[in-house]
Amino acid sequence: MLVKKIFNNNVLLAEDGDQEIVVIGRGVGFQQKIGQVVAQQKIEKCYYPKDQRWTTLFNELTSAIAFEYIEIASHIIATAEARLDTDFDDYLLIGLADHI
């Protein structure tokens, strides 16, 4: 998995083959450069866009809100998934971050 775009120290866009992935984790983007391998041990959550619509919505979201809200939303989702023993659709990240 290679770094494609760095949003901040905790959120980046990576590329795994031809798949784009939004990666969230404490310090995952710190001192990274585009093209470098993502530090696997720092990854807390990956969001795999299932279609172009998700990618478009995420790009719009990142230009409209602070990345801290994306991190908070991701943490809330991860906590809920663990406590409820379920997986939520990746679209929840966009909706929740936008509402925060």
Side-chain angles (χ1 to χ4, degrees), residues 12-29:
L12 56 83
L13 181 66
E15 195 171 52
D16 191 12
D18 60 349
Q19 172 76 44
E20 287 185 338
I21 305 163
V22 174
V23 179
I24 298 177
R26 189 164 219 80
V28 73

Side-chain angles (χ1 to χ4, degrees), residues 7-78:
F7 295 112
N8 67 16
N9 285 339
N10 302 319
V11 182
L12 56 83
L13 181 66
E15 195 171 52
D16 191 12
D18 60 349
Q19 172 76 44
E20 287 185 338
I21 305 163
V22 174
V23 179
I24 298 177
R26 189 164 219 80
V28 73
F30 182 68
Q31 294 186 338
Q32 288 284 345
K33 303 226 181 326
I34 294 174
Q36 286 184 321
V37 175
V38 177
Q40 296 290 322
Q41 70 275 15
K42 293 183 179 181
I43 296 175
E44 293 173 16
K45 179 79 175 173
C46 292
Y47 293 91
Y48 296 85
K50 295 178 179 81
D51 53 33
Q52 185 58 40
R53 182 173 177 262
W54 192 96
T55 304
T56 301
L57 289 170
F58 185 80
N59 284 331
E60 289 173 6
L61 179 72
T62 59
S63 65
I65 69 166
F67 290 102
E68 289 78 15
Y69 297 131
I70 296 170
E71 293 173 52
I72 292 166
S74 179
H75 180 70
I76 291 169
I77 292 167

